[in-house]
Amino acid sequence: MFKKLAFLIVLASMTLVACQPAAPAATAAPAATEASVVATEAPAMVYTYADMTVGFLQTGSEGGWRGANSASFKETAEQLGITLKFYDSQNDLAKQVAGFQQFIEDPEVNVIILAALEAAGWDQVLKDAKAAGKTVVIEDRRIDASEDLYVTFIGSDFVEEGRKSGTEMCKLLEGSDKKNVWELVGNVGSSPAIDRGKGFRETAEKCGIVVTNSQTGNWSIVEGKQVTEAWLKESKDVQGIFGQNDEMAFGAIEALKEAGLVPAVDVKIISVDATAGAFQAMLDGTLNVTVECNPLLAPQVYEAALAALNGETLPKWIPSIEGVFYADDPNLKDIAAGRQY
Ligand code: GYE
């Protein structure tokens, strides 16, 4: 009797094992349902700032604004624990394109950030970067390439900066018999140079301003001064000067002084950038107005790159928030003291 029972118990236990789902055989796993496939796929990597190796293509080091922009990227990378490979293109487009290609071929680099020297000519390297799986963010200056070739552009509305400058020049020349204005332009082919000029004419011409001279000063004090000196040798019939950045306006101020004219009085002067130097010039009474262009873009740019690495889709343009500052502002001294660049 007992033997038979023992035999039955053994038989029963053997049956139980058989009913349980078979442990996946090493090789021949049975065709599983959808649920089980997901279970086996490694979850998508969630990137953190520590996983970012950034190839940053800077234009060069042409002035106060550029210095603040570069510092923003270096300091913020350090704070966030991002590995930054900083490439100074020395204001040479061929060097900048070569640097871009270098980062495409660099297996460590997963994010490329571009401050483009010129607006045109980026389609091919952007296509190559995309094919190489690099996440590309455009900062500071917009480019002409197709938007699907980069994640987003973070930077200013240069046309609007130009419009603001034109509107302010109209106010400064209100009641003036003549409204001849000279324009010191940024480097040829760059989006700030193209767009600020366009925006300035849009509003300035509404009040009868005539741009009687316009030439590049390549964002520099020295060239801004040389160009203005050359114009002054030809004629002193100028009521306003529009410097597309602070440095070129500073050069014009020096040239006017040496020509015996009083800057900001005999000739009204407006610049774009609003760096510390512009506030000092306004406090010195040699500059009337400065239109802000924010260089501290790194936190927004790194945040966008991380979001894109983690699969987020971003708006194609994230514009900077900017103001206008006046020499006749009673709080100018305090405002200047509170500036970060
Ligand atoms: O206005 C100028 C710099 O790209 C917005 O470049 C920037 C411009 C800025 O050299 O000072």
Side-chain angles (χ1 to χ4, degrees):
M1 178 62 180
F2 175 73
K3 275 197 184 147
K4 192 168 175 223
L5 184 59
F7 170 72
L8 288 174
I9 293 170
V10 170
L11 185 64
S13 60
M14 282 172 70
T15 323
L16 276 171
V17 173
C19 302
Q20 284 176 0
T27 48
T33 60
E34 194 50 42
S36 63
V37 169
V38 173
T40 56
E41 217 172 79
M45 170 175 178
V46 177
Y47 288 84
T48 67
Y49 285 124
D51 304 313
M52 280 169 62
T53 298
V54 170
F56 180 65
L57 295 148
Q58 185 57 290
T59 58
S61 48
E62 73 272 7
W65 192 96
R66 191 59 55 191
N69 185 247
S70 295
S72 176
F73 280 87
K74 290 176 181 171
E75 289 160 16
T76 309
E78 204 161 322
Q79 285 154 14
L80 296 175
I82 291 170
T83 305
L84 178 66
K85 299 191 177 196
F86 188 95
Y87 185 95
D88 178 348
S89 313
Q90 298 162 352
N91 287 297
D92 180 324
L93 186 61
K95 282 200 175 97
Q96 192 167 54
V97 173
F100 202 124
Q101 282 154 344
Q102 199 181 300
F103 286 143
I104 291 173
E105 284 141 27
D106 184 338
E108 292 172 1
V109 168
N110 49 14
V111 172
I112 297 175
I113 298 171
L114 172 68
L117 267 165
E118 295 185 17
W122 294 104
D123 291 72
Q124 191 49 55
V125 281
L126 289 171
K127 284 181 184 139
D128 298 345
K130 195 168 187 172
K134 308 293 184 186
T135 292
V136 176
V137 177
I138 308 299
E139 77 100 12
D140 168 23
R141 297 176 175 182
R142 70 163 180 77
I143 57 174
D144 294 341
S146 149
E147 287 182 345
D148 65 341
L149 293 174
Y150 56 85
V151 166
T152 186
F153 159 52
I154 297 178
S156 309
D157 182 341
F158 297 132
V159 178
E160 186 54 23
E161 289 171 355
R163 290 193 197 103
K164 287 175 183 172
S165 304
T167 302
E168 295 305 329
M169 190 61 86
C170 283
K171 289 183 201 163
L172 290 168
L173 296 182
E174 210 165 321
S176 172
D177 307 343
K178 301 178 87 174
K179 299 182 178 181
N180 295 328
V181 168
W182 294 349
E183 180 189 34
L184 291 165
V185 182
N187 72 292
V188 176
S190 71
S191 54
I194 298 164
D195 295 354
R196 286 172 185 167
K198 183 164 165 270
F200 182 81
R201 285 164 180 72
E202 227 180 83
T203 49
E205 288 170 357
K206 287 200 181 107
C207 72
I209 282 173
V210 184
V211 178
T212 52
N213 273 323
S214 176
Q215 189 179 327
T216 185
N218 283 309
W219 309 116
S220 91
I221 297 177
V222 174
E223 288 191 51
K225 184 177 181 192
Q226 288 165 344
V227 171
T228 308
E229 279 170 345
W231 288 336
L232 285 167
K233 285 203 180 79
E234 284 165 19
S235 155
K236 289 188 177 164
D237 184 12
V238 56
Q239 286 74 52
I241 291 180
F242 170 43
Q244 285 194 356
N245 82 333
D246 293 341
E247 274 80 10
M248 293 188 291
F250 302 157
I253 289 167
E254 289 316 306
L256 288 171
K257 284 182 185 167
E258 289 171 17
L261 293 166
V262 182
V265 180
D266 299 335
V267 181
K268 307 303 182 190
I269 307 183
I270 291 181
S271 72
V272 179
D273 279 349
T275 56
F279 280 85
Q280 191 52 55
M282 290 195 292
L283 289 167
D284 298 344
T286 59
L287 181 68
N288 298 96
V289 172
T290 190
V291 172
E292 182 172 32
C293 178
N294 182 2
L296 308 182
L297 303 175
Q300 275 179 293
V301 172
Y302 289 143
E303 189 184 4
L306 184 62
L309 280 174
N310 285 319
E312 271 186 55
T313 303
L314 301 166
K316 283 298 174 185
W317 181 18
I318 302 173
S320 322
I321 313 301
E322 297 164 342
V324 178
F325 300 94
Y326 304 88
D328 60 6
D329 185 322
N331 308 314
L332 185 64
K333 221 165 185 297
D334 298 338
I335 297 169
R339 300 285 292 171
Q340 290 179 59
Y341 60 90

